[in-house]
Amino acid sequence: MKKTYLLLLLILCSAGQVSASGFGVFTQGAKGLGQANAVTAHVTGPSSLYFNPALLPQLEGTQLEVGTTLIFADRQFKSDLGGSTEKGDDSAQFPSSFFATHQLNDQLTA
């Protein structure tokens, strides 16, 4: 049991040594983004499925939602050890989303 606790302690203490770089794109709909993504309890459109799939029966008829985001990342790394600089690929990226719902009848929605 002591070995398990020691291993757990080492894992938790070493997490500070991890240096990650990146970002997340969480734009599953303008309405949800405007509400700071606090939309798990009510329907804002087809993109509500991302946060809470149980909301699907509340969407009536056929609904479509399409969105995209422009990302132009300018990345540069300068080494503390050697002082060398590396520049990343600066191409534009367009992560997109597509949500569609259709109510077949009062008891079946896809």
Side-chain angles (χ1 to χ4, degrees):
M1 195 65 163
K2 285 183 179 182
K3 290 181 182 181
T4 304
Y5 286 129
L6 180 61
L7 180 63
L8 182 62
L9 182 65
L10 287 173
I11 290 172
L12 292 175
C13 291
S14 66
Q17 301 299 318
V18 176
S19 299
S21 176
F23 53 89
V25 179
F26 301 104
T27 54
Q28 278 73 31
K31 210 171 191 182
L33 184 62
Q35 297 175 25
N37 291 332
V39 293
T40 57
H42 65 280
V43 176
T44 60
S47 63
S48 297
L49 298 175
Y50 178 82
F51 300 102
N52 187 358
L55 296 173
L56 183 62
Q58 296 180 16
L59 295 168
E60 297 179 355
T62 301
Q63 296 189 24
L64 300 173
E65 190 172 321
V66 179
T68 191
T69 303
L70 170 64
I71 296 176
F72 187 77
D74 183 17
R75 299 174 305 266
Q76 186 172 335
F77 170 77
K78 183 174 181 182
S79 172
D80 289 339
L81 297 175
S84 62
T85 303
E86 294 291 328
K87 191 164 171 76
D89 181 23
D90 294 337
S91 63
Q93 303 293 321
F94 297 93
S96 301
S97 61
F98 175 78
F99 296 94
T101 61
H102 179 68
Q103 185 179 31
L104 300 169
N105 56 40
D106 289 340
Q107 296 183 343
L108 187 60
T109 306

